[in-house]
Amino acid sequence: MTSATYWKFTTAVTPAEIEQALPKKLRCRVLEKSSRGLIVLDDFHWHIWQSGGLLTADPQQGLLNLSIAKEIPTVPYSPENRFWWQLPSGALSDHLRELLDLHAFVPKAECRLISEPLAIINSDEKIVTRVKLLTLNGENLPSSTFAEISPLRGYGDDYTVTLQALSLLSSVEVESFDLRTLLLAGGLHIDPPDEKDSFLLNPAEPAEAAICKMAKRMLVTARQYEQGIVEDIDTEFVHQYRVNIRKSRSLISLFKKTLSSERLQALKTELKVLGSRTNDLRDLDVFLLDEDYYREMLPAELQTGMTQVFTRIKRRRTMALKKVVASLQDDAYQAEVDHLFELFDTEPDWLSKQSQMPIQQLVAKKVLAQYQRICANGDIIDEQTPDEAVHDLRIECKKLRYLLELFSELFGKKKVKQLIRHLKGLQDNLGRFNDFSVQREFLSGLGIGKTISAEQLASINGLTAVLFNKQLHERSLVVANIDKFTAPGVRDEFQQIFALSDEESS
Amino acid sequence: MKVLACYSIKGGVGKTASAVNLAYWAAKSGYRTLLLDLDSQGASSFYFRVKSPVKKNWGKRLLKAYGEVLKQVKESDYKNLDVVPAHLSFRNFDILLDEIGKRKNRLSQALKGLKKEYDLIILDCPPTISRLAENIFNASDIVLVPVIPTTLSERTFEQLLKFFKQQDYSRKKLLPFFTMADGRKQLHRETATAMRKRYKYFLKHAIPYSTDVEKMGKYRAPIDIFARGRLANKSYFALWKEIESKLEG
């Protein structure tokens, strides 16, 4: 028994045209026609699509459907719901949580899917072949028609005749189709932001050129998030915008000796200004995202005060966003960005020895030096060392992390990943230690002002106390984590990867 | 896989209409069903618009191997329902059976191989008590016997019972039910009451006399397709549900 075959028509096709193409003894009957609206949803990165899934909404029925390898139940759809946590708990929101995390799912394309099951019948009016036409019409998508043609047992000859007739209607056989293929063939454009983790570096490339090229790429990447910030789609746009600018800035400062002092100064200042515009907004976002976490730390009687605090923060966030949006749309901003690109694109000055060093050699040297610095600084930290030293160590670790991540393509990504894993243990510990202190500082700022109610103050103080205890606990783990990261085994690994032979370094 | 025969010694009692509608409801209930039209007149094939195969002597082949049966299978317009259409050569089943040996389990052997593909085989049988009938009784799990509640039909049912006893077939395979029952006729009412009293194993649901059954020839389809809300359709559905419970019980 042959199974169904699938066909794509290069031009739209109607049942009447199919009947015309069939031999006289066969006719084509429309069984029923149905159509439904379809909204394709995904986040900015197309995370759902990239994972092989498809999130669609049926606006008439008000249902949200996630197609993945296994079947999961649909949930009610409302355009206001854009995050997994706004959906009823269950399999669908669990999967979206995994795929999207903090990203919002938004409409990517709207179309109508028209389904027309047809019967090819003989002179006895017996169905001899079944044809299912699927047509996709979309505002931004050109119309396209697909057909599933199923033979009926015992009617092989009629099936062959039907296929021959359809081949006259400029159709091509395709392997199979599902909604994803249909959408792609219908012209759905999958356009995730450019976030390649490779810079296509040449190990021998002179450092100054390589650094400028990389820093520029990061600024280009950052700018892809501007529109999402303006539309306030989700908090990840501001976050990724800042991450890319911060990386660009760190790169410049890590390799400052490769640049002329004028260029260095200008880049440092302008990148700092660019990043600092979103500082307030990001701080408020972080606090708001942690609402559940904060609330869990407080007893019931302090929740009222906390609600007041969050209402206030939400208001402040609205203001902060307005400011950021205005600044991004400002001519001055555009001029700043243009100037930055100019600075990146200027011909290298080749003023220092480092500017001409092959990038691989320079990075290897820097990584080893940075690791040594962490070992040395870590060595003097014990339980009594002041917090400043711990914070400084965190910053040094972050620099090492950037060096490893940004240049892993020059040293074997797999090996470098292993080192990053070692580093991550220490970084997570230091990161949490720092987070608690930032959170406490943020909260203490909230407690200042004439209009602060007693309830709010009580909640803020309660929270500060809990955070302080957590920070103490985190501090108690630091020494052990430093020891782990500076252990002989890890040192050897750094040496093996970054101590280049003379041949390599020449 | 279960085999269900629609059988009566007498013609014109609603065998084919029953085979067609029961096959339709079985398929609709999810049973992968094959309707095998053994009656050379081919009425059930006609209702499903499938044509007889052109090959000669296919009756002989049918009794020889299930592979031959499979080659003749036609998919109906309804999900889960296939049909093996009748053939003129089926007139000569008895001669054929003589030719290929007098065994009573030829048909049973030929059907065995179908169990991978089907959950239920429904045989639409010709009105004859012969070697073919014996093959049918051997192959079937249930022999459905449509009975019109009239004196003549009662007599033929008794003949069948006698035959079963003589040949030592299990009486339990027989499931009689009333067809073309006309409640307006006194004879029908009285015969039905008397027979139900005597034969407790009559199925509870009966098929009433109805023009909708006759219209099947016009529409060439099961009743559900053209007279969904009508009594005849509901009766066949109820009868199917009762048979289904026996099949599974």
Side-chain angles (χ1 to χ4, degrees):
Chain A
M1 181 75 190
T2 7
S3 48
T5 52
Y6 304 93
W7 299 77
K8 184 192 175 198
F9 293 94
T10 40
T11 54
V13 68
T14 63
E17 284 168 327
I18 291 177
E19 181 159 304
Q20 253 181 0
L22 289 168
K24 286 222 163 58
K25 62 170 186 168
L26 297 179
R27 282 182 299 127
C28 176
R29 187 197 289 160
V30 180
L31 295 179
E32 60 194 301
K33 187 173 177 175
S34 62
S35 82
R36 63 188 173 101
L38 201 69
I39 303 173
V40 177
L41 301 150
D42 214 319
D43 70 0
F44 183 58
H45 304 259
W46 292 84
H47 278 126
I48 303 171
W49 183 280
Q50 310 273 24
S51 76
L54 178 65
L55 183 68
T56 55
D58 180 333
Q60 275 85 45
Q61 291 191 309
L63 288 177
L64 190 65
N65 178 53
L66 177 64
S67 314
I68 47 167
K70 63 176 180 181
E71 206 158 300
I72 51 171
T74 54
V75 299
Y77 169 68
S78 151
E80 291 82 49
N81 294 346
R82 300 186 299 134
F83 296 96
W84 64 264
W85 60 84
Q86 293 172 322
L87 301 174
S89 56
L92 199 145
S93 72
D94 287 350
H95 275 97
L96 287 187
R97 175 190 198 157
E98 224 164 87
L99 290 168
L100 301 180
D101 194 17
L102 296 175
H103 299 95
F105 51 86
V106 292
K108 294 285 192 181
E110 281 195 51
C111 51
R112 283 203 85 71
L113 186 65
I114 302 155
S115 165
E116 262 180 306
L118 312 174
I120 307 299
I121 52 173
N122 63 14
S123 52
D124 284 323
E125 305 222 345
K126 166 79 184 80
I127 301 174
V128 292
T129 305
R130 287 184 191 277
V131 178
K132 192 173 172 190
L133 289 183
L134 281 172
T135 305
L136 197 69
N137 285 332
E139 254 176 52
N140 303 317
L141 304 174
S143 154
S144 66
T145 301
F146 279 75
E148 178 187 70
I149 305 174
S150 314
L152 264 73
R153 189 171 191 164
Y155 295 93
D157 292 349
D158 295 307
Y159 173 67
T160 312
V161 167
T162 307
L163 291 187
Q164 281 165 356
L166 288 175
S167 68
L168 300 175
L169 294 169
S170 56
S171 59
V172 281
E173 189 170 357
V174 290
E175 220 164 79
S176 71
F177 57 77
D178 51 16
L179 201 46
R180 279 171 58 102
T181 349
L182 223 62
L183 286 162
L184 275 186
L188 180 68
H189 186 45
I190 312 295
D191 54 351
D194 183 13
E195 290 175 314
K196 279 184 232 94
D197 60 349
S198 169
F199 292 90
L200 302 174
L201 291 172
N202 176 354
E205 208 168 336
E208 184 175 1
I211 297 304
C212 284
K213 179 173 87 178
M214 290 170 79
K216 180 185 168 185
R217 244 274 302 278
M218 290 172 211
L219 184 60
V220 172
T221 308
R223 295 211 64 196
Q224 295 179 102
Y225 297 100
E226 286 170 2
Q227 191 53 33
I229 301 174
V230 172
E231 291 173 26
D232 195 22
I233 292 173
D234 61 49
T235 55
E236 284 299 286
F237 285 88
V238 175
H239 180 50
Q240 288 304 323
Y241 175 81
R242 290 169 56 79
V243 163
N244 279 285
I245 289 176
R246 195 189 311 135
K247 275 189 188 173
S248 187
R249 247 182 93 193
S250 292
L251 189 70
I252 297 295
S253 103
L254 276 165
F255 290 87
K256 54 187 169 207
K257 287 190 182 157
T258 65
L259 303 168
S260 69
S261 60
E262 293 81 36
R263 186 137 74 142
L264 173 70
Q265 219 40 58
L267 282 173
K268 265 175 82 175
T269 319
E270 292 185 25
L271 282 170
K272 191 177 175 187
V273 170
L274 217 58
S276 63
R277 276 209 186 80
T278 49
N279 282 352
D280 280 351
L281 180 58
R282 180 61 192 165
D283 285 349
L284 296 164
D285 275 345
V286 170
F287 188 75
L288 287 171
L289 284 170
D290 283 337
E291 179 166 354
D292 291 346
Y293 155 83
Y294 287 127
R295 284 190 180 278
E296 275 166 23
M297 283 191 260
L298 288 178
E301 63 269 24
L302 293 180
Q303 295 292 344
T304 323
M306 213 58 222
T307 306
Q308 291 173 10
V309 169
F310 276 105
T311 311
R312 196 147 59 91
I313 298 293
K314 278 173 197 161
R315 264 202 310 269
R316 271 177 60 181
R317 198 233 170 222
T318 310
M319 298 305 292
L321 176 70
K322 260 190 193 161
K323 249 170 96 178
V324 169
V325 171
S327 76
L328 287 180
Q329 291 172 330
D330 196 351
D331 289 345
Y333 173 75
Q334 190 55 49
E336 274 169 38
V337 171
D338 289 346
H339 187 235
L340 271 167
F341 281 126
E342 247 173 63
L343 285 169
F344 287 132
D345 289 337
T346 313
E347 283 299 307
D349 302 304
W350 310 126
L351 285 180
S352 65
K353 192 182 159 200
Q354 282 200 4
S355 69
Q356 295 170 40
M357 251 173 106
I359 186 71
Q360 186 186 41
Q361 199 185 331
L362 182 59
V363 172
K365 223 173 110 180
K366 282 210 173 285
V367 168
L368 285 181
Q370 190 62 23
Y371 181 63
Q372 295 302 339
R373 186 171 303 133
I374 292 170
C375 290
N377 292 1
D379 202 33
I380 51 166
I381 291 180
D382 61 21
E383 306 297 344
Q384 275 72 48
T385 316
D387 286 355
E388 283 71 38
V390 179
H391 285 303
D392 289 346
L393 187 69
R394 183 184 66 84
I395 291 161
E396 297 305 327
C397 285
K398 202 166 197 169
K399 287 181 187 167
L400 180 60
R401 177 76 171 263
Y402 282 148
L403 281 171
L404 294 175
E405 277 182 351
L406 293 172
F407 296 97
S408 68
E409 63 183 271
L410 292 174
F411 301 92
K413 285 190 177 176
K414 237 183 178 170
K415 284 193 274 180
V416 176
K417 216 172 179 179
Q418 180 60 31
L419 289 182
I420 293 176
R421 213 167 292 145
H422 293 310
L423 174 58
K424 200 174 173 294
L426 174 60
Q427 267 196 303
D428 286 350
N429 176 207
L430 296 173
R432 280 190 297 269
F433 175 73
N434 181 59
D435 285 349
F436 291 131
S437 116
V438 171
Q439 287 162 2
R440 277 169 53 205
E441 203 178 311
F442 184 83
L443 282 169
S444 75
L446 287 178
I448 304 165
K450 284 179 193 161
T451 55
I452 313 298
S453 68
E455 284 118 321
Q456 284 191 51
L457 214 53
S459 301
I460 289 168
N461 291 337
L463 209 51
T464 311
V466 180
L467 290 170
F468 180 66
N469 277 323
K470 282 181 176 276
Q471 194 181 7
L472 284 183
H473 170 71
E474 214 56 57
R475 176 66 179 84
S476 71
L477 305 175
V478 169
V479 175
N481 276 315
I482 293 173
D483 287 348
K484 249 193 236 168
F485 185 61
T486 55
V490 183
R491 280 178 202 240
D492 289 348
E493 273 184 63
F494 269 96
Q495 281 298 322
Q496 274 165 22
I497 301 171
F498 295 102
L500 300 179
S501 63
D502 290 344
E503 204 179 301
E504 280 173 301
S505 55
S506 62
Chain B
M1 184 185 77
K2 299 276 185 181
V3 180
L4 197 84
C6 251
Y7 176 84
S8 166
I9 302 175
K10 200 178 172 311
V13 295
K15 272 195 308 292
T16 298
S18 300
V20 165
N21 286 296
L22 292 172
Y24 170 84
W25 282 115
K28 212 168 176 180
S29 310
Y31 290 80
R32 291 170 302 159
T33 307
L34 178 69
L35 175 66
L36 185 48
D37 189 357
L38 290 172
D39 191 341
S40 61
Q41 289 183 20
S44 54
S45 320
F46 175 79
Y47 288 144
F48 283 117
R49 303 167 193 258
V50 295
K51 283 194 177 137
S52 320
V54 279
K55 278 187 188 142
K56 277 185 186 170
N57 272 337
W58 116 253
K60 193 170 178 175
R61 294 168 197 226
L62 183 149
L63 293 170
K64 274 191 166 168
Y66 77 91
E68 294 293 331
V69 184
L70 280 179
K71 277 188 210 163
Q72 300 304 328
V73 169
K74 300 267 183 188
E75 196 173 329
S76 77
D77 289 2
Y78 312 102
K79 198 181 162 197
N80 286 331
L81 179 55
D82 290 350
V83 180
V84 171
H87 190 259
L88 220 55
S89 66
F90 289 5
R91 283 176 309 180
N92 307 320
F93 266 136
D94 284 322
I95 301 166
L96 291 171
L97 283 164
D98 278 340
E99 270 179 37
I100 59 176
K102 296 184 179 179
R103 298 211 321 266
K104 292 174 184 173
N105 60 355
R106 280 273 166 200
L107 183 64
S108 172
Q109 292 294 329
L111 297 183
K112 259 184 196 158
L114 303 174
K115 66 179 166 200
K116 268 190 214 152
E117 291 201 44
Y118 298 101
D119 305 315
L120 181 65
I121 307 245
I122 296 184
L123 306 173
D124 183 18
C125 309
T128 158
I129 194 148
S130 61
R131 201 179 300 287
L132 172 65
E134 289 187 61
N135 267 275
I136 289 166
F137 301 151
N138 262 313
S140 307
D141 297 290
I142 287 178
V143 178
L144 282 173
V145 190
V147 177
I148 307 175
T150 60
T151 326
L152 205 58
S153 290
E154 189 177 355
R155 272 198 59 215
T156 49
F157 181 64
E158 280 160 8
Q159 280 175 354
L160 180 62
L161 278 178
K162 211 165 133 192
F163 184 78
F164 257 59
K165 200 166 184 184
Q166 278 168 3
Q167 301 295 322
D168 212 17
Y169 291 124
S170 164
R171 201 283 303 147
K172 285 185 176 162
K173 276 191 183 185
L174 289 176
L175 275 187
F177 66 99
F178 289 116
T179 52
M180 299 159 94
D182 191 343
R184 293 166 304 180
K185 289 181 180 166
Q186 196 184 354
L187 175 71
H188 276 211
R189 289 198 307 269
E190 284 172 4
T191 313
T193 314
M195 282 187 85
R196 279 197 192 279
K197 208 168 173 186
R198 199 170 323 138
Y199 310 111
K200 305 282 187 211
Y201 48 90
F202 252 81
L203 289 174
K204 209 169 74 199
H205 292 95
I207 306 302
Y209 174 77
S210 160
T211 52
D212 291 323
V213 179
E214 285 164 7
K215 281 182 192 159
M216 283 172 66
K218 181 181 161 197
Y219 291 103
R220 296 184 71 179
I223 301 172
D224 190 48
I225 301 302
F226 60 87
R228 176 153 294 171
R230 304 292 290 260
L231 182 62
N233 190 45
K234 289 176 184 164
S235 306
Y236 268 119
F237 178 68
L239 183 69
W240 158 248
K241 282 289 162 201
E242 194 177 355
I243 294 167
E244 188 183 19
S245 69
K246 304 268 180 201
L247 279 172
E248 286 176 356

